[in-house]
């Protein structure tokens, strides 16, 4: 709108210049007086006497062949207001088409009705016409199109409207018309479209209403208070669109389905009777039906047997009726279906597996039935809403669906008997959509099966937490506005009971299998947690305690060389991995904070982002975005042994099968394409650290367990730059790298410091792992004793036998030549002499040369 505004102002200025020059009592002068009288832009803009074109040359107005009379005028959206003055439009004796829509016109002059002999189309849509529609409307005998929608018209619809026998389009939507549908309306025999929706009509349909409109294709009477029995629409042979939703229509639906109906919306009425009657007495062509909504009526019986013939059906809503208990209907052929709502339709038994054929499904609501059995595979490609709540479903949610949930708009599995292992959702989500506990393996169960106290407590806490977040967000915004960005913490002192509850004092001591660590803080709420992207949320160590259940072993993800890593949800559902750098540090708090801030700014699609940090006494705590799919170490070496069910996802993927239905295969990660993707992504991350950061960052600990797999199965390198934060005594040890990944130069020299080339060596080892599937140390390396991965593969490459090193699991999944080439790249990376190793930038280039093409 903003763009069009200026030109139209200029245009108006010119227009008025021209109008001012119109002779009195010509169509030009009537149009000028009309615009002037309706508060159009000021006529003072005009320069009298200029040689300007007459009204006919302007694009709003169209004149007849003589150039004398205006036949069409379209003055839409000009801000015209008030009543149309006498002696203006009413004098345009040849006017046929008048469009004054989108103004603020409140009334019509009495001479306006004189236009009756000429007017063919009249559009007053979106104005402020009020009062009742005068009987004079019947004067417009030639009218074909009348649009009075979205005004404030009230009173009854005048019966005289029936004299408009040529009227094809009538729209009275969005007014306050009351009374009954006038029987006179039947006089409008030519109607093609009739819309009187969103008014206050009452009573039943006039006699003969159904049969009267032979040519009607679209009837919308929704959103009134029409009562009485449903019509016999069998006379309406052309009708394609029927919307009677939101009325009080009673009776059976018998005979409704006639002709070429494509859209039927009878929702929210009081229709009764057996639903199958809708077709039993007519030969309805199901194959044309696109939209069927019979929801929220009182229909009974069982579904139509021929539903499955509705191949074009996109929207089916039968929810909220009084159907008999029945089996899930046959829907295997409704492959166009996008919206399916069978909530509260008495369904029993299992959800049929054929539901997976509904590949276009975006919304599925089967809630409030008595469905049993497990949830079958669904096509999740477009699914945005799923509600299976209040049934008796058991078993686990199928993996593709589970994986899809985080990106869905809404899902609800509450009040079932589902087990939900291996899923990670925020506690809020569990409470809302899986009604149950916050355990790792909660049960979305009938509430009677669960302890009650937990729920109310949790709920209260949640409400408080939300209220508090909102409060502090507001405070923060005010602060921001006042320019006191960094002072927000002062306000935080006033934190309320939720925080007080947690005003627990330390020092806190925590144990893991291999270490004990202490956070020497006095008051947990006084130690800030910095979250870079959400500086206004004042998280504290108390939130970290809450997020990790007091650093409970149950939330322990791993124990790395820096210390334990925990998993948790910060308020607001921020899913994080919390890494405690246990081994102390020699740098000051300020230095550590500065280093964290610097690392927080380093962003790359193949790096695990540092989300924030906390300095808790001596402990430096790094907070990372949580990586859904574990690390490469798990993926390559741990999982086949079945370490942890929760990491199992990383072993699975889903692919489209012939029907386009997604199904799980456990092979997704054991393809050359995937392995190559990991290698290339990791190389990119390292190249970025080495060549794209200033000062340069040497990772110092490149290994499979530093490479994480995110929710999109992209590799992300973690733990970069931490050695600086840890500093001191540990630095040396870190520098040495991890066993199996240490370059030869480290064992030779006493004080060899890590360089980009030592990272390249570590990467070379990872590359060998990716192609061979073997561990760097302690695996079986056929044909060699006391070997390690590097010496074994290097030996084979030298002998030109590298193909025998390729992981048999991926051998068939791609080009053997590419895999051999990748081993040669690893060979270069693991060169004895650091100077012989390529740079990571070069490695990226080399790896790109052996990239499998998309469909390999
Ligand atoms: C009347 O004007 C409105 C708004 O400009 C437009 O949306 C509508 O299609 C018009 N009605 C007819 C029948 O052309
Ligand atoms: C129509 O609106 C005008 C001005 O807004 C008001 O004075 C008048 O009373 C209204 N008429 C009816 C019938 O509501
Ligand atoms: C219905 O439409 C047909 C074809 O468009 C036309 O010939 C006929 O006159 C119309 N009937 C009425 C009652 O307007
Ligand atoms: C509906 O009306 C038609 C005639 O227009 C008639 O033949 C038919 O029997 C009626 N159906 C019902 C269910 O009343
Ligand atoms: C029927 O009318 C209601 C209310 O005006 C509207 O919400 C609904 O979308 C309409 N149905 C169809 C199929 O257009
Ligand atoms: C409709 O069909 C049922 C049987 O299917 C029959 O009993 C009823 O009389 C029929 N109604 C009309 C109006 O034909
Ligand atoms: C039903 O409708 C479809 C398309 O809407 C059409 O192709 C088909 O011929 C119709 N069948 C009958 C029996 O009228
Ligand atoms: C399904 O229908 C019920 C009853 O009309 C309604 O409450 C619910 O919101 C609908 N579900 C979806 C997903 O639209
Ligand atoms: C679910 O199953 C239980 C036990 O079989 C039964 O008691 C309960 O009524 C069922 N609930 C529903 C909604 O069918
Ligand atoms: C819930 O499901 C489990 C098996 O998954 C079954 O043992 C248990 O009886 C079920 N409970 C109810 C109330 O149906
Ligand atoms: C899920 O359904 C249950 C039962 O109808 C309801 O109480 C709960 O609020 C719903 N949750 C969501 C997130 O829609």
């Amino acid at each position: 709108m903003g763009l069009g505004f200026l030109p139209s102002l200029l245009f108006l200025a010119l227009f008025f210049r021209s109008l001012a020059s119109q002779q009195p009592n010509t169509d030009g002068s009537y149009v000028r007086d009309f615009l002037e009288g309706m508060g159009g832009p000021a006529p003072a803009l005009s320069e009298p006497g200029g040689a300007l074109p007459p009204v006919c040359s302007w694009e709003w107005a169209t004149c007849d062949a003589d150039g004398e009379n205006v036949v069409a005028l379209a003055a839409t959206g000009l801000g015209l207001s008030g009543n149309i003055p006498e002696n203006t439009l009413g004098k345009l004796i040849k006017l046929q088409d008048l469009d004054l829509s989108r103004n603020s016109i409140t009334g019509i002059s009495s001479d306006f009705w004189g236009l009756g002999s000429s007017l063919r189309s009249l559009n007053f849509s979106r104005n402020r016409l009020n009062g009742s529609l005068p009987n004079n409307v019947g004067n417009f005998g030639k009218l074909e199109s009348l649009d009075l929608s979205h005004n404030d018209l009230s009173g009854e619809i005048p019966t005289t409207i029936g004299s408009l026998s040529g009227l094809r389009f009538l729209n009275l939507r969005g007014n306050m018309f009351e009374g009954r549908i006038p029987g006179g309306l039947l006089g409008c025999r030519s109607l093609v479209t009739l819309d009187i929706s969103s008014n206050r009509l009452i009573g039943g349909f006039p006699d003969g209403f159904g049969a009267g409109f032979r040519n009607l294709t679209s009837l919308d009477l929704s959103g009134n208070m029409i009562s009485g029995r449903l019509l016999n629409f069998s006379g309406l042979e052309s009708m394609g669109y029927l919307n009677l939703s939101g009325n009080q229509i009673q009776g059976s639906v018998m005979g409704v389905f006639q002709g070429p109906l494509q859209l039927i919306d009878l929702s929210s009425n009081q229709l009764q009777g057996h639903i199958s009657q809708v077709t039993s007495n007519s030969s309805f062509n199901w194959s044309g039906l696109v939209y069927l909504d019979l929801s929220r009526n009182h229909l009974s019986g069982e579904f139509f047997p021929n539903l499955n013939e509705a191949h074009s059906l996109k929207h089916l809503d039968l929810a909220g009726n009084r159907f008999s208990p029945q089996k899930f209907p046959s829907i295997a052929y409704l492959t166009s279906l996008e919206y399916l709502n069978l909530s509260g339709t008495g369904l029993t038994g299992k959800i049929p597996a054929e539901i997976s054929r509904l590949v276009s499904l975006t919304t599925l609501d089967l809630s409030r039935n008595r469905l049993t059995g497990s949830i079958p595979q669904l096509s999740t490609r477009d699914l945005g809403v799923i509600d299976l709540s209040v049934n008796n479903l058991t078993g686990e949610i199928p993996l593709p669906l589970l994986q899809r949930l985080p990106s869905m708009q809404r899902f609800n599995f509450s009040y079932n008997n589902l087990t939900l292992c291996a899923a990670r959702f925020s506690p809020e989500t569990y409470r809302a959509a899986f009604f149950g506990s916050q355990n790792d393996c909660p049960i979305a169960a009938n509430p009677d099966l669960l302890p009650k106290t937990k729920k109310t407590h949790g709920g209260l806490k949640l409400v408080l937490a939300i209220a508090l977040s909102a409060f502090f967000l507001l405070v923060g915004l005010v602060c921001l506005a006042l320019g006191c960005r960094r002072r927000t913490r002062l306000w935080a002192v006033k934190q309320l009971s939720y925080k007080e509850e947690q005003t627990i004092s330390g020092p806190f001591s925590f144990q893991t299998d291999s270490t004990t660590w202490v956070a020497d803080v006095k008051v947990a709420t006084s130690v800030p947690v910095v979250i870079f992207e959400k500086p206004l949320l004042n998280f504290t160590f108390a939130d970290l305690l809450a997020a990790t259940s007091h650093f409970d072993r149950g939330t322990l993800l791993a124990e790395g060389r820096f210390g334990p890593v925990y998993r948790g949800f910060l308020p607001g559902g921020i899913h994080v991995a919390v890494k405690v750098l246990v081994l102390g540090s020699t740098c000051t708090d300020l230095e550590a904070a500065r280093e964290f801030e610097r690392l927080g700014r380093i962003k790359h699609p193949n790096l695990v982002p540092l989300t924030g940090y906390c300095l808790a006494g001596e402990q430096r705590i790094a907070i990372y975005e949580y990586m859904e799919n574990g690390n490469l170490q798990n993926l390559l070496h741990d999982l086949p042994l079945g370490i942890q069910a929760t990491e199992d996802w990383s072993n699975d993927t889903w692919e489209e099968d012939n029907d386009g239905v997604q199904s799980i295969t456990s092979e997704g990660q054991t393809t050359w394409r995937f392995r190559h993707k990991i290698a290339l992504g990791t190389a990119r991350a390292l190249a970025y650290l080495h060549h794209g950061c200033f000062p340069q960052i040497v990772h110092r600990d490149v290994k499979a367990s530093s490479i994480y797999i995110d929710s999109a199965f992209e590799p992300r390198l973690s733990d970069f730059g931490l050695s600086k934060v840890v500093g001191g005594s540990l630095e040396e040890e870190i520098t040495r790298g991890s066993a199996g990944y240490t370059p030869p130069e480290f064992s030779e020299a006493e004080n060899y410091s890590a360089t980009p080339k030592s990272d390249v060596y570590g990467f070379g080892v990872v590359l060998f792992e990716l192609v061979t599937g073997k561990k760097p140390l302690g695996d079986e390396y056929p044909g060699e004793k006391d070997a390690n991965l590097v010496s074994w593969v290097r030996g084979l490459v030298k002998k030109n036998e590298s193909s025998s090193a390729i992981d048999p699991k991926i051998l068939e999944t791609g080009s053997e030549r590419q895999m051999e080439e990748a081993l040669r790249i690893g060979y270069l990376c693991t060169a004895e002499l650091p100077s012989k190793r390529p740079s990571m930038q070069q490695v990226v280039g080399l790896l790109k040369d052996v990239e499998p093409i998309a469909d390999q």
Side-chain angles (χ1 to χ4, degrees), residues 368 387 389-390 410-412 414-415 432-433:
R368 297 172 193 281
D387 192 341
S389 62
V390 197
R410 194 162 80 74
F411 50 88
N412 198 343
S414 305
Y415 299 88

Side-chain angles (χ1 to χ4, degrees), residues 497-516:
S497 55
Y498 166 66
K499 297 280 170 177
E500 268 162 23
E501 186 192 302
Q502 313 230 354
T503 313
I504 22 176
S505 36
F508 302 91
S509 166
F510 307 100
Q511 262 204 321
T512 70
D513 289 338
S514 61
T515 181
T516 299

Side-chain angles (χ1 to χ4, degrees), residues 296 317 319 339 341 343 363 365 385 410:
R296 281 163 284 157
D317 192 345
Y339 178 102
N341 193 343
S343 168
T363 302
D365 190 340
V385 175
R410 194 162 80 74

Side-chain angles (χ1 to χ4, degrees), residues 250-254 270-278 297-302 321-323:
Q250 297 155 4
S252 84
V253 281
M254 195 174 312
Q270 292 160 16
L271 298 168
Q272 302 138 6
H274 203 285
I275 186 169
S276 60
Q277 285 175 331
V278 293
N297 277 289
H298 304 163
L299 298 169
S300 58
E302 290 172 31
N321 276 291
R322 299 180 180 165
F323 297 124

Side-chain angles (χ1 to χ4, degrees), residues 438 510 543-555 567-568:
Q438 300 173 34
F510 307 100
D543 292 301
L544 277 192
L545 287 174
T548 57
S549 314
H550 278 248
F551 293 98
D552 185 80
R553 278 174 197 232
T555 65
R567 162 185 158 207

Side-chain angles (χ1 to χ4, degrees), residues 146-398:
L146 176 59
D147 191 341
L148 300 174
S149 60
H150 303 286
N151 279 281
D152 302 327
L153 294 166
S154 51
E156 297 201 7
I157 299 171
T159 304
T160 53
I161 205 164
S163 21
L164 310 183
S165 59
L167 198 65
R168 293 159 55 79
F169 180 98
L170 176 59
N171 191 348
L172 304 177
R173 180 190 188 97
N175 280 283
M176 294 178 289
F177 285 116
E178 49 209 29
R180 305 170 70 92
I181 303 169
L185 199 56
L186 283 169
C188 306
R189 292 187 306 274
S190 310
L191 274 180
V192 174
T193 299
L194 176 57
D195 187 344
I196 323 181
S197 63
S198 304
N199 277 283
R200 298 175 180 172
L201 300 176
I202 54 165
F205 296 95
D207 284 345
F209 189 84
F213 307 108
R214 292 262 152 215
N215 285 358
L216 201 64
T217 62
S218 166
L219 176 60
D220 192 342
L221 299 175
S222 63
N224 281 286
M225 292 174 285
I226 297 168
S227 55
R229 300 184 71 78
L230 190 63
L231 280 183
N232 176 356
F233 282 109
S234 49
L236 307 181
E237 286 160 1
S238 317
M239 186 126 78
Y241 176 92
L242 176 62
N243 194 345
L244 302 177
S245 134
N247 281 288
Q248 291 154 17
I249 301 166
Q250 297 155 4
S252 84
V253 281
M254 195 174 312
V256 175
F257 289 37
Q258 296 278 343
L261 271 170
Q262 295 187 329
L263 288 93
I264 302 173
D265 191 343
L266 301 176
S267 59
S268 300
N269 277 290
Q270 292 160 16
L271 298 168
Q272 302 138 6
H274 203 285
I275 186 169
S276 60
Q277 285 175 331
V278 293
T279 53
S280 63
N281 295 60
S282 60
S283 53
F284 179 66
N285 186 349
W286 283 92
S287 62
L289 193 64
V290 174
Y291 189 110
L292 178 58
D293 190 344
L294 300 176
S295 65
R296 281 163 284 157
N297 277 289
H298 304 163
L299 298 169
S300 58
E302 290 172 31
F303 297 149
F304 353 84
N306 24 19
L307 187 60
N308 216 359
E309 293 164 22
H311 305 306
S312 312
L313 201 60
K314 291 189 173 170
H315 184 109
L316 178 60
D317 192 345
L318 302 174
N321 276 291
R322 299 180 180 165
F323 297 124
S324 329
Q326 58 188 319
K327 284 240 161 58
F328 205 95
S330 215
I331 49 168
Y333 297 113
L334 307 187
T335 46
S336 308
L337 209 58
E338 294 167 9
Y339 178 102
L340 178 60
N341 193 343
L342 298 178
S343 168
T345 50
L347 298 178
T348 59
K350 295 188 172 186
I351 305 173
E354 65 187 31
I355 198 166
S356 70
R357 296 225 206 161
L358 309 185
V359 289
S360 308
L361 217 52
T362 60
T363 302
L364 177 63
D365 190 340
L366 302 176
S367 60
R368 297 172 193 281
N369 283 297
R370 287 176 225 161
L371 293 166
T372 54
S374 57
I375 303 173
Q377 293 291 345
L378 292 169
S379 167
T380 56
R381 193 182 60 196
D382 298 326
L383 204 59
V385 175
I386 186 168
D387 192 341
L388 300 178
S389 62
V390 197
N391 275 293
N392 256 349
L393 297 166
T394 53
E396 282 206 45
I397 296 170

Side-chain angles (χ1 to χ4, degrees), residues 12 30 70 75 95 113 162 171 186 319 339 390 412 554 575 608 633 736 761 805 815 835 837:
L12 269 178
Y30 297 135
V70 175
L95 192 62
W113 305 107
N171 191 348
L186 283 169
Y339 178 102
V390 197
N412 198 343
H575 201 178
V608 176
Q633 168 80 23
R736 298 228 151 265
Y761 184 92
S815 144
S835 59
R837 297 173 202 151

